Amino acid sequence: MNEKAPKIMMEVKNINLRFGGVVAIQGVSFDIHEGEIRAIIGPNGAGKSSMLNVINGFYHPQEGEIWFDGQKRPSMEPYEVAKTGIARTFQNIALFKGMTTIENVMTGRQLQMNKNIFWQMLRYGPAIEEEVQHRKRCEEIIDFLEINHIRKTPVGSLPYGLQKRVELARALAMEPNLLLLDEPMAGMNVEEKQDMSRFIVEVNEEFGTTIALIEHDMAVVMDLADRVVVLDYGKLLADGTPKEVQSNQAVIDAYLGVPH
Amino acid sequence: MFYKETGQFKSRYKDELAAFPLFEDKIGIGILGVLTFLVIPLFGLPGLNYEFAMGAIMIPCMIFIIMTLGLNILLGFAGQISLGTGAFSGVGAYAFYKFITIFPDINIIIALVLSGLVSAVVGVIFGLPSLKIKGFYLIVATLAAQFFLTWAFIRVAWLYNYNASGAIEGPNKEMFGIIMIGPQSAGMTRYYFVLVTLIVLTWLASNVIRGRIGRSWMMIRDMDIAAELIGIRPLVAKLSAFAFSSFYIGIAGALMVFFWLGAAEAESFDINHSFLYLFMVIIGGLGSITGSYMGAIFVWVVPVLIKEVGKSVFGFDAFVMENFSTILLGAMIIIILILEPHGLARLWQITKQKLRLWPFPY
């Protein structure tokens, strides 16, 4: 954690997102500092995943600005956002089911690979060198996440916890500046949660990757996050360190309910 | 299998990424090579008339394998369904015909590559709807390609040089002093030409599939949303799959007419053929190169063999056997798909897995 003069990596300003008459996000602004773990929490339907989708370029908000690396970002498609160094994992796993673990991780390297179709067809010289070079990087990530043993297993047949880990590996293979994790620990048992938490902290500390995560397990959030954003019904409820948020009356009300 | 990877350690990623990392696989491929390059051209297939074995089994089989490879790239690897295969193969055939009649001195290999490229361009044009629609709706869009193109093959007389029969026919044409196509070409030369083409195209396809571009196709197939987030442009991935697939199909179409049939009309490229190729892909196994081989061989050879056996062993009438083989093939397709929806390639994989443990099941 960097206490003095944090650099703002991403800032969303006054985002409004509507689907027809349904208001999903209403005037939400917050920022993400470089190198921090930023948690986004809130009850179901609060607009957390929609927020990630806005950052990702899946949804285009009707109003609001996104600033990334000190510049205002124009409206972008997801594949353009990927090029700016933003990777993410999904709430319900979105792996490539027909491919093995190593192939899935290799897909994260797509953007860094650029040999054209003729080299690809020959798979010789530059093309195979490129393949080997990226394979090495992927193997390092696989080592790091301790999934060596399932390297050649088709991901469809893996247990849930491991699939989540492969998805993280794929996102890490992109070597992102900003990593978005959508409920990385949903549906895991305690042990798997511990493993995943350890990986998230290590990614943050060793690679210096900025992480924004959505999570429902409050114990995990309070432990991991440097700062927390709370959303409810598409509105910003609170923003601050875990301690501040924990003692915020509006947050407690939103989670526990208030007598009317 | 009778052999395992045990003891064959790789110390470089390059070795592990090779097409056949196992020593025994290399031996197997070598044996196949000797069979196809020497034994079969010399002796034919056992129990069958030599001319028949070459002209009705080997050459068409190899051409259909190229066709199946092409369709499998689109359907099995990129997940885009097409019923326009027959028409795209026609584009290749007519383009080849135009190239060799407009430029009589053109090299056959160059003409073949060019006609593949023409087919690729047409494939991309008719692949454009895939950017917006998926699944059943895409089938309908490619069906439009099928009907429009076969209509064009009949109505646009320029395509068959305004001849009275409306058919395209291969003139005698030589390469390096050997007559390659046309009525005077030897079956043996055509066999070798098709065989080499098949080997080259298989090699290229397997390379592309294992590399960056092949992965981008599989990403689009398995989860297009995630693919987009990793930076794949759906436009590029889908259209490149259509182009690559149509390139193969176009070459197969040209080979089919000029290296096998000798002459063809628009009906050689009709929707029934599209269905036939689709059967080959599905029976062989989606997303597998070995499967493309198995599917094409199975769907083509089994009916031919049934007919032959019926005629020579049981003495049935040829017409009866024609119908009987269709019925039997249909039944076999249904049985295979019920037993193993992923096709012969998966069946082969399971067999290999079981053989690893054999004779002890646990």
Side-chain angles (χ1 to χ4, degrees):
Chain A
M1 226 197 315
N2 198 349
E3 291 290 350
K4 48 190 186 267
K7 186 172 169 257
I8 292 172
M9 169 171 260
M10 164 161 276
E11 193 171 6
V12 292
K13 289 181 184 168
N14 197 24
I15 298 283
N16 277 289
L17 178 71
R18 292 183 293 272
F19 301 105
V22 182
V23 181
I25 301 176
Q26 214 178 340
V28 171
S29 314
F30 62 90
D31 58 0
I32 301 172
H33 293 165
E34 193 166 293
E36 74 171 344
I37 298 181
R38 184 72 144 137
I40 303 173
I41 61 170
N44 289 326
K48 307 182 295 296
S49 291
S50 298
M51 197 64 231
L52 285 199
N53 283 334
V54 167
I55 295 176
N56 260 143
F58 259 122
Y59 295 156
H60 299 283
Q62 278 81 4
E63 287 155 48
E65 294 174 356
I66 299 171
W67 288 66
F68 186 63
D69 267 343
Q71 281 171 343
K72 189 183 165 195
R73 199 174 82 181
S75 178
M76 279 181 166
E77 290 302 314
Y79 65 84
E80 294 169 312
V81 174
K83 282 184 192 143
T84 64
I86 299 180
R88 86 172 268 189
T89 65
F90 290 82
Q91 184 175 2
N92 33 13
I93 298 165
L95 284 170
F96 305 117
K97 293 258 157 40
M99 299 159 91
T100 61
T101 301
I102 180 71
E103 283 172 332
N104 264 284
V105 180
M106 282 292 279
T107 61
R109 307 296 296 179
Q110 290 291 89
L111 275 180
Q112 274 105 320
M113 301 173 85
N114 52 20
K115 295 292 172 284
N116 65 26
I117 179 96
F118 296 103
W119 282 118
Q120 298 282 329
M121 277 164 89
L122 297 176
R123 202 179 167 78
Y124 183 77
I128 190 79
E129 274 165 27
E130 183 183 53
E131 188 88 7
V132 168
Q133 173 202 334
H134 288 291
R135 172 73 184 265
K136 275 184 188 147
R137 188 77 194 90
C138 288
E139 292 286 352
E140 283 167 28
I141 290 162
I142 284 180
D143 272 350
F144 174 73
L145 291 179
E146 297 161 18
I147 45 177
N148 322 45
H149 56 296
I150 52 164
R151 192 185 281 123
K152 296 217 167 140
T153 318
V155 289
S157 60
L158 292 175
Y160 183 82
L162 284 178
Q163 289 196 9
K164 280 265 182 198
R165 221 187 279 182
V166 175
E167 209 185 6
L168 179 62
R170 185 180 68 185
L172 284 182
M174 291 174 73
E175 296 186 2
N177 302 320
L178 174 59
L179 179 60
L180 310 173
L181 304 172
D182 198 346
E183 299 202 18
M185 285 158 232
M188 286 187 168
N189 61 29
V190 177
E191 209 172 318
E192 287 170 331
K193 274 183 189 172
Q194 282 172 349
D195 279 342
M196 190 52 100
S197 306
R198 179 163 59 87
F199 291 133
I200 291 172
V201 172
E202 273 180 34
V203 167
N204 180 245
E205 282 178 359
E206 296 218 346
F207 303 149
T209 311
T210 312
I211 294 173
L213 64 92
I214 293 177
E215 186 49 55
H216 277 303
D217 188 324
M218 283 309 127
V220 168
V221 170
M222 297 306 155
D223 262 2
L224 287 183
D226 297 325
R227 294 189 303 151
V228 182
V229 177
V230 190
L231 300 181
D232 190 24
Y233 293 111
K235 286 187 197 144
L236 189 78
L237 212 57
D239 183 357
T241 61
K243 261 216 181 87
E244 289 166 10
V245 167
Q246 241 170 340
S247 50
N248 185 316
Q249 192 55 44
V251 177
I252 297 169
D253 289 350
Y255 268 88
L256 298 179
V258 272
H260 289 287
Chain B
M1 234 15 219
F2 321 110
Y3 54 87
K4 286 182 188 176
E5 60 276 16
T6 318
Q8 300 190 24
F9 298 113
K10 308 284 183 235
S11 53
R12 301 186 310 164
Y13 287 124
K14 207 170 170 174
D15 298 332
E16 210 223 354
L17 293 169
F20 301 106
L22 292 191
F23 179 65
E24 285 86 350
D25 282 340
K26 287 186 188 131
I27 296 180
I29 290 299
I31 292 173
L32 264 182
V34 171
L35 273 178
T36 47
F37 271 98
L38 291 175
V39 179
I40 293 178
L42 279 178
F43 304 107
L45 295 171
L48 289 170
N49 174 303
Y50 180 78
E51 286 299 314
F52 180 79
M54 298 298 273
I57 292 186
M58 288 309 291
I59 292 181
C61 253
M62 293 192 292
I63 293 169
F64 287 141
I65 291 169
I66 299 176
M67 199 83 82
T68 313
L69 272 177
L71 184 56
N72 215 337
I73 287 168
L74 187 65
L75 182 59
F77 287 98
Q80 309 296 312
I81 307 180
S82 162
L83 266 184
T85 324
F88 294 142
S89 73
V91 172
Y94 280 91
F96 188 79
Y97 180 68
K98 289 309 281 185
F99 280 125
I100 59 172
T101 47
I102 294 174
F103 312 104
D105 294 328
I106 197 171
N107 183 301
I108 285 185
I109 297 174
I110 293 173
L112 206 56
V113 172
L114 285 177
S115 45
L117 291 177
V118 171
S119 177
V121 171
V122 176
V124 167
I125 293 170
F126 284 102
L128 284 174
S130 71
L131 303 177
K132 282 279 166 212
I133 51 181
K134 290 180 193 172
F136 291 116
Y137 304 97
L138 184 58
I139 296 186
V140 176
T142 57
L143 212 52
Q146 173 69 46
F147 288 124
F148 171 74
L149 288 170
T150 36
W151 172 85
F153 296 152
I154 297 169
R155 297 292 163 188
V156 184
W158 175 78
L159 286 174
Y160 46 87
N161 288 352
Y162 304 99
N163 63 16
S165 64
I168 49 172
E169 209 174 87
N172 285 320
K173 191 161 161 34
E174 47 183 56
M175 186 172 76
F176 310 129
I178 306 164
I179 299 177
M180 298 300 291
I181 58 171
Q184 281 172 23
S185 60
M188 192 84 96
T189 27
R190 283 184 281 129
Y191 173 83
Y192 277 117
F193 188 89
V194 175
L195 177 60
V196 172
T197 315
L198 170 65
I199 292 170
V200 170
L201 288 181
T202 308
W203 179 64
L204 295 181
S206 84
N207 285 347
V208 170
I209 283 159
R210 289 179 296 148
R212 169 178 68 90
I213 293 171
R215 272 198 296 274
S216 77
W217 294 337
M218 289 188 262
M219 288 160 84
I220 286 286
R221 171 195 69 187
D222 284 347
M223 189 69 78
D224 49 358
I225 293 172
E228 228 180 312
L229 276 180
I230 295 177
I232 300 295
R233 294 184 65 179
L235 175 105
V236 176
K238 285 180 181 173
L239 292 187
S240 66
F242 265 97
F244 207 75
S245 150
S246 304
F247 178 75
Y248 273 55
I249 292 167
I251 286 183
L255 289 175
M256 180 171 93
V257 175
F258 296 95
F259 286 80
W260 176 41
L261 297 171
E265 286 174 47
E267 65 190 33
S268 300
F269 314 112
D270 64 4
I271 186 143
N272 288 334
H273 285 80
S274 296
F275 280 124
L276 180 73
Y277 308 141
L278 194 62
F279 283 152
M280 289 175 176
V281 171
I282 292 175
I283 300 232
L286 291 170
S288 154
I289 288 188
T290 338
S292 303
Y293 273 70
M294 291 176 174
I297 293 172
F298 183 86
V299 172
W300 182 253
V301 173
V302 166
V304 173
L305 286 186
I306 293 173
K307 272 183 251 177
E308 272 309 293
V309 169
K311 267 192 288 189
S312 50
V313 179
F314 300 106
F316 285 130
D317 177 62
F319 183 67
V320 173
M321 285 318 295
E322 181 79 47
N323 290 324
F324 186 61
S325 73
T326 315
I327 295 170
L328 212 61
L329 181 73
M332 285 168 103
I333 289 174
I334 293 171
I335 291 169
I336 288 180
L337 289 185
I338 289 173
L339 288 178
E340 188 47 71
H342 296 286
L344 293 171
R346 179 65 64 85
L347 221 52
W348 170 239
Q349 232 175 9
I350 293 173
T351 318
K352 280 209 298 201
Q353 277 300 323
K354 293 238 162 103
L355 275 174
R356 285 170 74 96
L357 298 171
W358 188 85
F360 309 108
Y362 297 107

PDB file of all heavy atoms in Angstrom, chain B residues 107-132:
ATOM      1  N   ASN B 107       0.245 -22.204 -64.537  1.00  0.00           N
ATOM      2  CA  ASN B 107       0.651 -23.389 -63.790  1.00  0.00           C
ATOM      3  C   ASN B 107      -0.541 -23.907 -62.962  1.00  0.00           C
ATOM      4  O   ASN B 107      -1.279 -23.112 -62.384  1.00  0.00           O
ATOM      5  CB  ASN B 107       1.813 -22.997 -62.863  1.00  0.00           C
ATOM      6  CG  ASN B 107       2.359 -24.173 -62.093  1.00  0.00           C
ATOM      7  OD1 ASN B 107       1.641 -24.819 -61.344  1.00  0.00           O
ATOM      8  ND2 ASN B 107       3.628 -24.451 -62.308  1.00  0.00           N
ATOM      9  N   ILE B 108      -0.699 -25.218 -62.917  1.00  0.00           N
ATOM     10  CA  ILE B 108      -1.884 -25.769 -62.255  1.00  0.00           C
ATOM     11  C   ILE B 108      -1.910 -25.429 -60.775  1.00  0.00           C
ATOM     12  O   ILE B 108      -2.966 -25.096 -60.222  1.00  0.00           O
ATOM     13  CB  ILE B 108      -1.927 -27.300 -62.453  1.00  0.00           C
ATOM     14  CG1 ILE B 108      -2.361 -27.602 -63.871  1.00  0.00           C
ATOM     15  CG2 ILE B 108      -2.899 -27.941 -61.476  1.00  0.00           C
ATOM     16  CD1 ILE B 108      -2.556 -29.036 -64.160  1.00  0.00           C
ATOM     17  N   ILE B 109      -0.750 -25.474 -60.142  1.00  0.00           N
ATOM     18  CA  ILE B 109      -0.715 -25.186 -58.699  1.00  0.00           C
ATOM     19  C   ILE B 109      -1.147 -23.747 -58.437  1.00  0.00           C
ATOM     20  O   ILE B 109      -1.941 -23.464 -57.541  1.00  0.00           O
ATOM     21  CB  ILE B 109       0.693 -25.441 -58.135  1.00  0.00           C
ATOM     22  CG1 ILE B 109       1.031 -26.916 -58.302  1.00  0.00           C
ATOM     23  CG2 ILE B 109       0.782 -25.027 -56.682  1.00  0.00           C
ATOM     24  CD1 ILE B 109       2.429 -27.273 -57.923  1.00  0.00           C
ATOM     25  N   ILE B 110      -0.643 -22.832 -59.295  1.00  0.00           N
ATOM     26  CA  ILE B 110      -1.016 -21.424 -59.125  1.00  0.00           C
ATOM     27  C   ILE B 110      -2.518 -21.255 -59.352  1.00  0.00           C
ATOM     28  O   ILE B 110      -3.210 -20.577 -58.586  1.00  0.00           O
ATOM     29  CB  ILE B 110      -0.204 -20.540 -60.088  1.00  0.00           C
ATOM     30  CG1 ILE B 110       1.264 -20.566 -59.664  1.00  0.00           C
ATOM     31  CG2 ILE B 110      -0.737 -19.111 -60.086  1.00  0.00           C
ATOM     32  CD1 ILE B 110       2.194 -19.874 -60.615  1.00  0.00           C
ATOM     33  N   ALA B 111      -3.031 -21.917 -60.398  1.00  0.00           N
ATOM     34  CA  ALA B 111      -4.471 -21.819 -60.672  1.00  0.00           C
ATOM     35  C   ALA B 111      -5.271 -22.344 -59.490  1.00  0.00           C
ATOM     36  O   ALA B 111      -6.310 -21.775 -59.114  1.00  0.00           O
ATOM     37  CB  ALA B 111      -4.816 -22.605 -61.933  1.00  0.00           C
ATOM     38  N   LEU B 112      -4.770 -23.405 -58.879  1.00  0.00           N
ATOM     39  CA  LEU B 112      -5.482 -24.016 -57.750  1.00  0.00           C
ATOM     40  C   LEU B 112      -5.510 -23.063 -56.553  1.00  0.00           C
ATOM     41  O   LEU B 112      -6.559 -22.849 -55.936  1.00  0.00           O
ATOM     42  CB  LEU B 112      -4.767 -25.321 -57.380  1.00  0.00           C
ATOM     43  CG  LEU B 112      -5.587 -26.413 -56.701  1.00  0.00           C
ATOM     44  CD1 LEU B 112      -6.786 -26.779 -57.546  1.00  0.00           C
ATOM     45  CD2 LEU B 112      -4.726 -27.635 -56.447  1.00  0.00           C
ATOM     46  N   VAL B 113      -4.355 -22.462 -56.266  1.00  0.00           N
ATOM     47  CA  VAL B 113      -4.290 -21.531 -55.143  1.00  0.00           C
ATOM     48  C   VAL B 113      -5.188 -20.324 -55.413  1.00  0.00           C
ATOM     49  O   VAL B 113      -5.943 -19.876 -54.539  1.00  0.00           O
ATOM     50  CB  VAL B 113      -2.834 -21.081 -54.896  1.00  0.00           C
ATOM     51  CG1 VAL B 113      -2.791 -19.966 -53.854  1.00  0.00           C
ATOM     52  CG2 VAL B 113      -1.994 -22.251 -54.435  1.00  0.00           C
ATOM     53  N   LEU B 114      -5.129 -19.827 -56.676  1.00  0.00           N
ATOM     54  CA  LEU B 114      -5.957 -18.662 -57.008  1.00  0.00           C
ATOM     55  C   LEU B 114      -7.442 -18.990 -56.872  1.00  0.00           C
ATOM     56  O   LEU B 114      -8.217 -18.188 -56.341  1.00  0.00           O
ATOM     57  CB  LEU B 114      -5.653 -18.193 -58.429  1.00  0.00           C
ATOM     58  CG  LEU B 114      -4.329 -17.450 -58.615  1.00  0.00           C
ATOM     59  CD1 LEU B 114      -4.120 -17.106 -60.082  1.00  0.00           C
ATOM     60  CD2 LEU B 114      -4.291 -16.189 -57.765  1.00  0.00           C
ATOM     61  N   SER B 115      -7.847 -20.171 -57.335  1.00  0.00           N
ATOM     62  CA  SER B 115      -9.273 -20.486 -57.244  1.00  0.00           C
ATOM     63  C   SER B 115      -9.671 -20.657 -55.778  1.00  0.00           C
ATOM     64  O   SER B 115     -10.797 -20.315 -55.400  1.00  0.00           O
ATOM     65  CB  SER B 115      -9.631 -21.713 -58.071  1.00  0.00           C
ATOM     66  OG  SER B 115      -8.708 -22.737 -57.889  1.00  0.00           O
ATOM     67  N   GLY B 116      -8.733 -21.165 -54.949  1.00  0.00           N
ATOM     68  CA  GLY B 116      -9.013 -21.199 -53.508  1.00  0.00           C
ATOM     69  C   GLY B 116      -9.227 -19.805 -52.963  1.00  0.00           C
ATOM     70  O   GLY B 116     -10.134 -19.572 -52.170  1.00  0.00           O
ATOM     71  N   LEU B 117      -8.411 -18.851 -53.439  1.00  0.00           N
ATOM     72  CA  LEU B 117      -8.541 -17.480 -52.954  1.00  0.00           C
ATOM     73  C   LEU B 117      -9.865 -16.857 -53.384  1.00  0.00           C
ATOM     74  O   LEU B 117     -10.509 -16.147 -52.615  1.00  0.00           O
ATOM     75  CB  LEU B 117      -7.363 -16.629 -53.447  1.00  0.00           C
ATOM     76  CG  LEU B 117      -6.009 -16.968 -52.828  1.00  0.00           C
ATOM     77  CD1 LEU B 117      -4.908 -16.113 -53.454  1.00  0.00           C
ATOM     78  CD2 LEU B 117      -6.051 -16.750 -51.325  1.00  0.00           C
ATOM     79  N   VAL B 118     -10.276 -17.145 -54.633  1.00  0.00           N
ATOM     80  CA  VAL B 118     -11.568 -16.626 -55.099  1.00  0.00           C
ATOM     81  C   VAL B 118     -12.678 -17.151 -54.197  1.00  0.00           C
ATOM     82  O   VAL B 118     -13.547 -16.406 -53.729  1.00  0.00           O
ATOM     83  CB  VAL B 118     -11.832 -17.042 -56.565  1.00  0.00           C
ATOM     84  CG1 VAL B 118     -13.257 -16.687 -56.968  1.00  0.00           C
ATOM     85  CG2 VAL B 118     -10.839 -16.377 -57.490  1.00  0.00           C
ATOM     86  N   SER B 119     -12.604 -18.455 -53.911  1.00  0.00           N
ATOM     87  CA  SER B 119     -13.610 -19.058 -53.044  1.00  0.00           C
ATOM     88  C   SER B 119     -13.568 -18.417 -51.657  1.00  0.00           C
ATOM     89  O   SER B 119     -14.611 -18.196 -51.031  1.00  0.00           O
ATOM     90  CB  SER B 119     -13.348 -20.559 -52.961  1.00  0.00           C
ATOM     91  OG  SER B 119     -14.242 -21.162 -52.102  1.00  0.00           O
ATOM     92  N   ALA B 120     -12.360 -18.101 -51.183  1.00  0.00           N
ATOM     93  CA  ALA B 120     -12.231 -17.471 -49.865  1.00  0.00           C
ATOM     94  C   ALA B 120     -12.933 -16.121 -49.843  1.00  0.00           C
ATOM     95  O   ALA B 120     -13.637 -15.790 -48.884  1.00  0.00           O
ATOM     96  CB  ALA B 120     -10.756 -17.302 -49.504  1.00  0.00           C
ATOM     97  N   VAL B 121     -12.756 -15.348 -50.925  1.00  0.00           N
ATOM     98  CA  VAL B 121     -13.401 -14.027 -50.986  1.00  0.00           C
ATOM     99  C   VAL B 121     -14.921 -14.188 -50.956  1.00  0.00           C
ATOM    100  O   VAL B 121     -15.619 -13.500 -50.189  1.00  0.00           O
ATOM    101  CB  VAL B 121     -12.952 -13.271 -52.256  1.00  0.00           C
ATOM    102  CG1 VAL B 121     -13.793 -12.010 -52.438  1.00  0.00           C
ATOM    103  CG2 VAL B 121     -11.480 -12.922 -52.159  1.00  0.00           C
ATOM    104  N   VAL B 122     -15.428 -15.131 -51.760  1.00  0.00           N
ATOM    105  CA  VAL B 122     -16.874 -15.358 -51.766  1.00  0.00           C
ATOM    106  C   VAL B 122     -17.345 -15.817 -50.388  1.00  0.00           C
ATOM    107  O   VAL B 122     -18.390 -15.375 -49.891  1.00  0.00           O
ATOM    108  CB  VAL B 122     -17.249 -16.395 -52.857  1.00  0.00           C
ATOM    109  CG1 VAL B 122     -18.730 -16.709 -52.805  1.00  0.00           C
ATOM    110  CG2 VAL B 122     -16.870 -15.872 -54.220  1.00  0.00           C
ATOM    111  N   GLY B 123     -16.534 -16.679 -49.755  1.00  0.00           N
ATOM    112  CA  GLY B 123     -16.877 -17.144 -48.410  1.00  0.00           C
ATOM    113  C   GLY B 123     -16.974 -16.006 -47.416  1.00  0.00           C
ATOM    114  O   GLY B 123     -17.887 -15.964 -46.599  1.00  0.00           O
ATOM    115  N   VAL B 124     -16.043 -15.060 -47.508  1.00  0.00           N
ATOM    116  CA  VAL B 124     -16.062 -13.912 -46.596  1.00  0.00           C
ATOM    117  C   VAL B 124     -17.327 -13.089 -46.818  1.00  0.00           C
ATOM    118  O   VAL B 124     -17.990 -12.675 -45.868  1.00  0.00           O
ATOM    119  CB  VAL B 124     -14.806 -13.043 -46.791  1.00  0.00           C
ATOM    120  CG1 VAL B 124     -14.962 -11.706 -46.098  1.00  0.00           C
ATOM    121  CG2 VAL B 124     -13.591 -13.762 -46.260  1.00  0.00           C
ATOM    122  N   ILE B 125     -17.679 -12.893 -48.085  1.00  0.00           N
ATOM    123  CA  ILE B 125     -18.871 -12.081 -48.377  1.00  0.00           C
ATOM    124  C   ILE B 125     -20.110 -12.717 -47.771  1.00  0.00           C
ATOM    125  O   ILE B 125     -20.904 -12.071 -47.090  1.00  0.00           O
ATOM    126  CB  ILE B 125     -19.042 -11.916 -49.904  1.00  0.00           C
ATOM    127  CG1 ILE B 125     -17.890 -11.071 -50.451  1.00  0.00           C
ATOM    128  CG2 ILE B 125     -20.393 -11.265 -50.222  1.00  0.00           C
ATOM    129  CD1 ILE B 125     -17.825 -11.039 -51.949  1.00  0.00           C
ATOM    130  N   PHE B 126     -20.240 -14.047 -47.989  1.00  0.00           N
ATOM    131  CA  PHE B 126     -21.424 -14.702 -47.435  1.00  0.00           C
ATOM    132  C   PHE B 126     -21.269 -14.996 -45.945  1.00  0.00           C
ATOM    133  O   PHE B 126     -22.224 -15.423 -45.301  1.00  0.00           O
ATOM    134  CB  PHE B 126     -21.741 -15.982 -48.216  1.00  0.00           C
ATOM    135  CG  PHE B 126     -22.370 -15.692 -49.543  1.00  0.00           C
ATOM    136  CD1 PHE B 126     -21.638 -15.755 -50.711  1.00  0.00           C
ATOM    137  CD2 PHE B 126     -23.702 -15.323 -49.624  1.00  0.00           C
ATOM    138  CE1 PHE B 126     -22.212 -15.467 -51.935  1.00  0.00           C
ATOM    139  CE2 PHE B 126     -24.287 -15.028 -50.830  1.00  0.00           C
ATOM    140  CZ  PHE B 126     -23.542 -15.096 -51.997  1.00  0.00           C
ATOM    141  N   GLY B 127     -20.065 -14.780 -45.408  1.00  0.00           N
ATOM    142  CA  GLY B 127     -19.866 -14.951 -43.972  1.00  0.00           C
ATOM    143  C   GLY B 127     -20.205 -13.701 -43.191  1.00  0.00           C
ATOM    144  O   GLY B 127     -20.295 -13.735 -41.969  1.00  0.00           O
ATOM    145  N   LEU B 128     -20.402 -12.584 -43.901  1.00  0.00           N
ATOM    146  CA  LEU B 128     -20.694 -11.319 -43.215  1.00  0.00           C
ATOM    147  C   LEU B 128     -21.890 -11.406 -42.261  1.00  0.00           C
ATOM    148  O   LEU B 128     -21.836 -10.838 -41.178  1.00  0.00           O
ATOM    149  CB  LEU B 128     -20.905 -10.201 -44.234  1.00  0.00           C
ATOM    150  CG  LEU B 128     -19.631  -9.655 -44.885  1.00  0.00           C
ATOM    151  CD1 LEU B 128     -19.975  -8.672 -45.975  1.00  0.00           C
ATOM    152  CD2 LEU B 128     -18.740  -8.990 -43.845  1.00  0.00           C
ATOM    153  N   PRO B 129     -22.979 -12.118 -42.634  1.00  0.00           N
ATOM    154  CA  PRO B 129     -24.100 -12.184 -41.683  1.00  0.00           C
ATOM    155  C   PRO B 129     -23.716 -12.789 -40.339  1.00  0.00           C
ATOM    156  O   PRO B 129     -24.360 -12.512 -39.330  1.00  0.00           O
ATOM    157  CB  PRO B 129     -25.119 -13.087 -42.399  1.00  0.00           C
ATOM    158  CG  PRO B 129     -24.765 -13.011 -43.829  1.00  0.00           C
ATOM    159  CD  PRO B 129     -23.288 -12.784 -43.889  1.00  0.00           C
ATOM    160  N   SER B 130     -22.640 -13.603 -40.297  1.00  0.00           N
ATOM    161  CA  SER B 130     -22.260 -14.255 -39.038  1.00  0.00           C
ATOM    162  C   SER B 130     -21.875 -13.242 -37.970  1.00  0.00           C
ATOM    163  O   SER B 130     -21.837 -13.562 -36.793  1.00  0.00           O
ATOM    164  CB  SER B 130     -21.099 -15.205 -39.263  1.00  0.00           C
ATOM    165  OG  SER B 130     -19.922 -14.472 -39.511  1.00  0.00           O
ATOM    166  N   LEU B 131     -21.591 -12.012 -38.394  1.00  0.00           N
ATOM    167  CA  LEU B 131     -21.228 -11.005 -37.412  1.00  0.00           C
ATOM    168  C   LEU B 131     -22.429 -10.594 -36.583  1.00  0.00           C
ATOM    169  O   LEU B 131     -22.301 -10.122 -35.470  1.00  0.00           O
ATOM    170  CB  LEU B 131     -20.646  -9.771 -38.113  1.00  0.00           C
ATOM    171  CG  LEU B 131     -19.437 -10.062 -38.982  1.00  0.00           C
ATOM    172  CD1 LEU B 131     -18.979  -8.817 -39.684  1.00  0.00           C
ATOM    173  CD2 LEU B 131     -18.322 -10.634 -38.134  1.00  0.00           C
ATOM    174  N   LYS B 132     -23.605 -10.764 -37.155  1.00  0.00           N
ATOM    175  CA  LYS B 132     -24.801 -10.323 -36.452  1.00  0.00           C
ATOM    176  C   LYS B 132     -25.640 -11.487 -35.944  1.00  0.00           C
ATOM    177  O   LYS B 132     -26.347 -11.352 -34.958  1.00  0.00           O
ATOM    178  CB  LYS B 132     -25.667  -9.458 -37.394  1.00  0.00           C
ATOM    179  CG  LYS B 132     -25.158  -8.051 -37.543  1.00  0.00           C
ATOM    180  CD  LYS B 132     -25.573  -7.176 -36.375  1.00  0.00           C
ATOM    181  CE  LYS B 132     -24.777  -5.880 -36.370  1.00  0.00           C
ATOM    182  NZ  LYS B 132     -24.540  -5.361 -35.046  1.00  0.00           N
TER     183      LYS B 132
END
